Amino acid sequence: MTSLMQSALGAQFAQLPPALKGHYRAGTTLERGHLDIEYPRWMQPFLTFLRVLGALVNRSGPCVPTQVEKCDSPSGQRWRRTISFADGKVVYFNSRWVAGQGNRLIEYVNPILGLEMAVHVADGKLYYEGVRFVVKLGGLLVPIPEWLLLGHTTIEEQGLDDTHFAMDFRLTHPVFGQIFRYAGTFAITPEPMDNQ
């Protein structure tokens, strides 16, 4: 079975290091790691509003334990991120990925709001570049320029060894600069979890 990322990357998928191939393989995966989450204080009200919509995380902290579950479904790929803060507060960040055109993926944080991103591999690293936000109205996708909502999205992922990878997600606004970042390292599960 071909995974969503394999379809988007095509032949470039073979250039990924083993940890990223494992992360993006078809089927169900479970990964555990830690995230450093940071943003300027003035972003708090905006992030709290975005949480109501299902987007991003409205708490910051260093080295926050995080679990990421991914599974394939007929309606796309489901992602469930469980972020457990030191004070006992647990934040869930769930999304659904679907294929876009060519090397693009769309990540929906709720049934109508999504971020379209283009992916490519260079020097063994996986890069995402935000293209636009979209609002799904039935079969119609209404584009919204990145700068109009939050700014430009970039993600960089690299393999550290056969079972560990690092990721770095950033939102950069054309006027305010970097307004959100989470970055960390994760260990992939060594065996398929489909029958667990």
Side-chain angles (χ1 to χ4, degrees), residues 35-47:
L35 283 176
D36 295 323
I37 306 167
E38 57 190 52
Y39 52 85
R41 287 184 64 96
W42 59 264
M43 276 293 293
Q44 190 64 54
F46 300 104
L47 289 170

Side-chain angles (χ1 to χ4, degrees), residues 29-97:
T29 60
L30 174 66
E31 298 152 356
R32 291 185 176 91
H34 294 83
L35 283 176
D36 295 323
I37 306 167
E38 57 190 52
Y39 52 85
R41 287 184 64 96
W42 59 264
M43 276 293 293
Q44 190 64 54
F46 300 104
L47 289 170
T48 299
F49 172 71
L50 289 171
R51 280 299 304 151
V52 173
L53 300 177
L56 298 176
V57 179
N58 64 340
R59 295 195 67 176
S60 62
C63 204
V64 183
T66 303
Q67 178 174 290
V68 179
E69 300 168 76
K70 172 189 65 75
C71 67
D72 296 323
S73 74
S75 62
Q77 205 170 62
R78 302 274 180 185
W79 293 77
R80 180 177 173 90
R81 301 161 189 91
T82 305
I83 305 167
S84 303
F85 290 87
D87 64 359
K89 173 73 173 174
V90 176
V91 174
Y92 299 100
F93 176 25
N94 302 325
S95 65
R96 180 175 63 92
W97 291 19

